[in-house]
Amino acid sequence: AIEPIMTGLSKSSQTTSLLFSRCVLGKREFREPIQPLTRGIMACSQLRDLSLVSCNLPDMTPLLRSLGNGRVNYLESIDLRENCLLAPSMEALGDLLETSSSLRRLNLCLQRQWHRSTAIQRDFSPLFKSLAHCQLKELYLRGNPIQPHAIEVLLDSLRQNNTLELLQLTDCLLQS
């Protein structure tokens, strides 16, 4: 179902914004492999805003690694709200932050009911470590449980960061 859409995107490389929200295509939930999505996005060399809200993709690491390789040079905003990002995806996000000179906004918010989910045990350390030297201006983490070791990494990085203007930690479970 996603392949024809991504093929169309590949032919229209002038796309600047791409939004998939809950990934409902027609009446069927989108649970296709991420490869067609990655190919379509990578063809959009002018992409500025990427939003994959509540997509429940099994692993976003290939997509995030592809974004970090420099083929999408203008990407300013990534919105991955309501997604369960596993450790490799968090590492790929950290790498992306370190290498991107254009990325200014990253949204990783979760809704409150996800707090109790055992599937949402994210380690933010790789992402927080990259904040020390990235160009990010806004980071939204609302609703995420954050482990103590990650909080220490965040504090160390914030001491070195001179670009971050907004850090949203509303409803975060800052665990001790």
Side-chain angles (χ1 to χ4, degrees):
I2 193 73
E3 193 79 43
I5 294 169
M6 294 299 107
T7 301
L9 272 179
S10 299
K11 295 175 182 174
S12 174
S13 63
Q14 299 303 309
T15 302
T16 60
S17 294
L18 184 58
L19 166 65
F20 282 93
S21 181
R22 293 179 186 83
C23 295
V24 177
L25 302 177
K27 299 281 183 195
R28 201 172 79 176
E29 187 175 350
F30 166 58
R31 293 193 185 267
E32 300 283 328
I34 199 164
Q35 290 82 10
L37 182 62
T38 301
R39 282 194 306 272
I41 290 170
M42 297 315 300
C44 300
S45 60
Q46 302 296 312
L47 190 63
R48 286 181 169 44
D49 300 299
L50 175 61
S51 183
L52 300 172
V53 176
S54 198
C55 287
N56 296 320
L57 294 168
D59 184 11
M60 288 193 190
T61 307
L63 170 63
L64 296 169
R65 293 255 182 249
S66 294
L67 291 172
N69 73 12
R71 284 189 280 177
V72 178
N73 298 319
Y74 302 103
L75 193 59
E76 297 171 2
S77 177
I78 299 177
D79 187 347
L80 299 176
R81 277 178 288 152
E82 310 305 332
N83 283 292
C84 179
L85 299 179
L86 304 174
S89 294
M90 295 301 276
E91 290 170 12
L93 265 176
D95 293 344
L96 176 60
L97 284 181
E98 287 182 2
T99 59
S100 174
S101 61
S102 62
L103 191 59
R104 300 293 182 258
R105 182 176 186 271
L106 178 60
N107 189 337
L108 300 175
C109 292
L110 290 178
Q111 291 194 18
R112 296 177 105 186
Q113 66 263 24
W114 287 37
H115 279 179
R116 292 180 283 280
S117 172
T118 56
I120 309 298
Q121 295 299 319
R122 305 187 204 207
D123 181 7
F124 281 94
S125 298
L127 179 70
F128 289 166
K129 184 178 179 183
S130 68
L131 286 176
H133 305 290
C134 74
Q135 301 300 310
L136 201 65
K137 290 184 180 270
E138 300 174 15
L139 177 58
Y140 298 88
L141 297 172
R142 177 185 42 83
N144 281 283
I146 300 176
Q147 303 295 328
H149 70 279
I151 293 170
E152 292 300 320
V153 173
L154 173 62
L155 293 173
D156 289 342
S157 292
L158 289 176
R159 288 182 191 105
Q160 300 173 54
N161 181 291
N162 60 4
T163 60
L164 194 66
E165 297 171 359
L166 186 143
L167 175 61
Q168 185 190 53
L169 296 172
T170 307
D171 290 331
C172 284
L173 293 177
L174 302 179
Q175 302 173 357
S176 56

